[in-house]
Amino acid sequence: MPPIETRDDLGSRAGTALFLKRWLRRPFAVGAVVPSGRLLAEAMARTTLAEMKGREGHVIELGAGTGEVTKALLAAGIPAERLALVERDPELASFLRRHFAGPKIVEGDAARLPKILAEQGIGSVSAVVSSLPLLSLPAEVVRGIVEGVFDALPRGGALVQFTYGPAQPVPRNLSQALRLVGTRGPRIWRNIPPAVVWTFRRPAGP
């Protein structure tokens, strides 16, 4: 007797198909052929949970896609009411609304993050987790996104970002200009393709 497919199984299959379709249309904006794998999503969630510890406010997820990282964040114990998902693609944002009832879901451009947060009445942010393909986006777009993230974060607050490549996902010249400190996690070899979770923060102080 074949195994019974659950609603989560069907949602994951539908999400993978939708993600692939969006990648075929806009490969440099989506960045990967399939959504983040379970082990990568769990590593991002663990890192985010550690970074938000003792901080008030929302966890902001940029480029939520089909919600693979969102599921891991919720499974790690981050309350749904403290999650705000920002997704630029209308079809992906609609998918998120159908599959996640608790988090705040915002269709918008991450490069306008401070304005988006103000419009949504989000006053404080404890951490930002991003699946955006920073290394394949135009330099001015990346600068707008990263500057917006650190305008929203309190001093010492962290951006959690993964990359598939050997270099850090925030361009080095930008991280130096913004005085960001990057910390590299271990490579997750069982993800397809293998990935690394980085943490960036602007140290507290003047």
Side-chain angles (χ1 to χ4, degrees):
M1 182 176 179
I4 298 173
E5 287 190 305
T6 67
R7 183 176 177 181
D8 282 348
D9 294 331
L10 294 172
S12 293
R13 287 177 57 189
T16 299
L18 175 58
F19 200 92
L20 176 59
K21 182 175 79 170
R22 306 312 291 167
W23 179 85
L24 289 170
R25 290 183 184 175
R26 301 174 64 214
F28 293 107
V30 175
V33 179
V34 294
S36 302
R38 178 179 60 82
L39 294 178
L40 172 56
E42 289 175 351
M44 293 182 75
R46 285 194 302 271
T47 304
T48 304
L49 190 65
E51 293 298 334
M52 65 177 287
K53 189 174 182 180
R55 297 183 181 274
E56 300 295 329
H58 278 73
V59 172
I60 311 299
E61 183 185 352
L62 305 181
T66 55
E68 296 307 305
V69 173
T70 309
K71 286 188 284 189
L73 293 169
L74 293 168
I78 297 174
E81 63 272 15
R82 288 188 64 183
L83 274 180
L85 317 181
V86 179
E87 174 54 57
R88 180 178 180 178
D89 188 289
E91 197 167 357
L92 291 173
S94 178
F95 181 91
L96 291 169
R97 291 189 188 99
R98 292 196 303 272
H99 289 82
F100 296 96
K104 185 185 291 289
I105 298 167
V106 184
E107 182 183 322
D109 188 341
R112 299 174 56 252
L113 184 60
K115 187 173 182 180
I116 287 174
L117 298 180
E119 291 171 348
Q120 297 295 318
I122 297 174
S124 59
V125 175
S126 59
V128 176
V129 55
S130 167
S131 297
L132 296 172
L134 296 182
L135 294 180
S136 64
L137 294 174
E140 66 274 12
V141 173
V142 175
R143 187 175 189 93
I145 292 169
V146 177
E147 286 182 344
V149 165
F150 285 96
D151 283 344
L153 281 168
R155 283 281 181 170
L159 165 65
V160 178
Q161 170 76 51
F162 79 89
T163 183
Y164 298 124
Q168 66 178 50
V170 174
R172 194 168 295 279
N173 62 339
L174 178 57
S175 65
Q176 289 174 345
L178 298 179
R179 299 176 61 196
L180 305 181
V181 176
T183 303
R184 184 186 188 278
R187 184 164 292 277
I188 303 167
W189 292 104
R190 291 171 62 191
N191 192 71
I192 302 175
V196 175
V197 178
W198 281 75
T199 304
F200 294 89
R201 63 173 54 80
R202 183 181 286 163

